[in-house]
Amino acid sequence: QVRLVESGGGLVQAGGSLRLSCGASARTLTTYTIGWFRQAPGKEREFVAALSWRGGTTYYADSVKGRFTVSRDFGKNTVDLEMSSLKAEDSAVYRCALTTNSDPVTVRIIKTYSFWGQGTQVTVSS
């Protein structure tokens, strides 16, 4: 069983930065992708970013490209999402998820992911 735990959410002013971390207990897996998704009240869950753990390939939604950076920390076994130049519309519950899939197209799709964290709230005040 894979367990994912997010941390690092909070309240920040527009233009500010936050760093989210996703800890994954997936040491038995050799190839997997961690994705970050978000869902704001009344809106659909949407893809934000993803990282292929083995090769380090990254993927971003157009809405966050250039502002968000996804990276891996081998020591902590986490996938981190560094968010900068935050906007009010970035406010949402952010959840990380894991898939053994690494296809560049399907890693952007919610149904690709089998394991999900509980989520962490990010609120950007304008």
Side-chain angles (χ1 to χ4, degrees):
Q1 186 69 15
V2 174
R3 185 167 175 258
L4 303 171
V5 179
E6 303 96 339
S7 62
L11 174 65
V12 64
Q13 288 188 333
S17 300
L18 271 179
R19 187 180 187 91
L20 307 182
S21 287
C22 175
S25 60
R27 295 187 184 275
T28 58
L29 300 177
T30 57
T31 302
Y32 56 89
T33 299
I34 297 291
W36 283 97
F37 294 80
R38 67 186 182 187
Q39 187 168 18
K43 293 189 176 181
E44 300 275 325
R45 187 179 305 178
E46 63 175 358
F47 170 78
V48 175
L51 180 144
S52 172
W53 181 262
R54 189 173 187 180
T57 305
T58 57
Y59 311 89
Y60 296 95
D62 289 341
S63 59
V64 305
K65 200 172 293 183
R67 300 189 298 123
F68 290 14
T69 301
V70 63
S71 61
R72 53 188 172 172
D73 187 320
F74 289 106
K76 296 179 180 179
N77 203 43
T78 61
V79 173
D80 300 335
L81 184 67
E82 181 73 35
M83 307 182 293
S84 60
S85 302
L86 284 162
K87 308 173 183 179
E89 51 263 42
D90 293 318
S91 297
V93 174
Y94 284 70
R95 298 178 71 182
C96 63
L98 183 148
T99 177
T100 54
N101 194 306
S102 59
D103 180 86
V105 174
T106 57
V107 294
R108 300 169 182 269
I109 301 173
I110 294 170
K111 291 183 178 180
T112 300
Y113 293 81
S114 302
F115 304 97
W116 291 82
Q118 292 299 309
T120 185
Q121 177 71 46
V122 171
T123 303
V124 183
S125 62
S126 56

